[in-house]
Amino acid sequence: KAGVTQTPRYLIKTRGQQVTLSCSPISGHRSVSWYQQTPGQGLQFLFEYFSETQRNKGNFPGRFSGRQFSNSRSEMNVSTLELGDSALYLCASSWGLSSSGNTIYFGEGSWLTVV
Amino acid sequence: AQRVTQPEKLLSVFKGAPVELKCNYSYSGSPELFWYVQYSRQRLQLLLRHISRESIKGFTADLNKGETSFHLKKPFAQEEDSAMYYCALSTQGGSEKLVFGKGTKLTVNP
């Protein structure tokens, strides 16, 4: 079956702009988590959605937001982009909550560069 | 606060040598720990979890609650083990999430 799909794979934005990233989970998976990966901070948890509800949020400013649709597809949005938001954004899906021991499957990520 | 520490950013061994990737965690609850691996040009994927106490690709990891460690070990490293390895902690009880260490890049030299 198809894996976790993220779009777009690469994008360049200007400071102050906003960006929306999309994630299609594995069919049947109801949980979608988002992570930011940078060389300095590694993988940092952004938020997790389960059945269209945000279950938990990491320590990121309110400029970072997300949502999940009824078909489990998820989007994350970053408004008023800053240079420091340049990172690889990873989406992961699982059948149940990632904290409940369910195996999570990662997408290839969306590379965001802010100039 | 929950934290996962991987003290080595880089680890280099020769083929056939034993390898140990260190992971220490800080968590007041009952921990659930995982090792994830990312091979070159591939997605991040689960390698093993402590609950299943299994050996995957010759790797094992034992949870030591006294030392709050979950080190990943393999007795004889292979070149194909070269990858980025991440230790992760699953937290529960009001702040459920998966907390990752910063990773260790393992290079197995021929």
Side-chain angles (χ1 to χ4, degrees):
Chain A
K1 56 185 174 181
V4 178
T5 305
Q6 292 187 244
T7 57
R9 291 294 321 282
Y10 304 92
L11 65 165
I12 300 174
K13 290 286 188 178
T14 305
R15 270 185 302 175
Q17 287 187 312
Q18 67 94 25
V19 66
T20 299
L21 308 177
S22 179
C23 173
S24 293
I26 291 172
S27 177
H29 284 189
R30 296 177 295 169
S31 172
V32 173
S33 304
W34 288 90
Y35 294 84
Q36 182 194 65
Q37 186 174 28
T38 58
Q41 297 300 318
L43 273 159
Q44 291 188 286
F45 173 78
L46 278 157
F47 27 63
E48 180 171 12
Y49 286 87
F50 181 83
S51 296
E52 301 179 67
T53 303
Q54 187 181 88
R55 291 303 302 261
N56 199 10
K57 192 174 181 348
N59 296 323
F60 280 84
R63 300 185 295 108
F64 291 81
S65 62
R67 59 178 175 168
Q68 186 180 34
F69 302 96
S70 58
N71 61 359
S72 294
R73 191 176 69 84
S74 177
E75 288 181 347
M76 68 161 282
N77 185 78
V78 188
S79 62
T80 320
L81 284 165
E82 300 176 0
L83 295 179
D85 297 333
S86 296
L88 175 66
Y89 290 88
L90 289 170
C91 167
S93 79
S94 54
W95 183 84
L97 288 172
S98 63
S99 59
S100 298
N102 292 282
T103 299
I104 65 173
Y105 297 86
F106 283 89
E108 292 181 292
S110 292
W111 283 98
L112 170 65
T113 300
V114 182
V115 298
Chain B
Q2 310 92 354
R3 185 175 297 157
V4 175
T5 303
Q6 293 179 250
E8 303 135 330
K9 287 182 73 172
L10 304 169
L11 184 61
S12 183
V13 300
F14 285 102
K15 178 182 172 181
V19 62
E20 180 179 69
L21 293 92
K22 291 184 168 51
C23 171
N24 290 90
Y25 67 91
S26 172
Y27 180 50
S28 56
S30 183
E32 194 167 345
L33 287 137
F34 307 81
W35 276 99
Y36 282 81
V37 61
Q38 188 168 28
Y39 301 103
S40 179
R41 288 192 280 284
Q42 292 188 29
R43 302 173 187 218
L44 193 59
Q45 58 186 289
L46 177 67
L47 179 63
L48 55 79
R49 64 181 71 198
H50 90 270
I51 275 184
S52 50
R53 300 184 65 82
E54 57 196 344
S55 172
I56 303 292
K57 299 185 178 183
F59 283 98
T60 58
D62 290 318
L63 175 60
N64 185 323
K65 291 187 178 181
E67 295 183 359
T68 59
S69 68
F70 187 56
H71 303 328
L72 183 68
K73 300 176 185 178
K74 186 169 182 176
F76 307 103
Q78 303 299 314
E79 288 179 70
E80 54 266 29
D81 295 329
S82 295
M84 195 75 183
Y85 291 81
Y86 295 92
C87 182
L89 164 71
S90 177
T91 69
Q92 314 256 343
S95 181
E96 300 95 351
K97 58 185 174 182
L98 204 56
V99 178
F100 284 84
K102 293 190 177 181
T104 297
K105 184 175 181 180
L106 173 66
T107 302
V108 181
N109 300 297

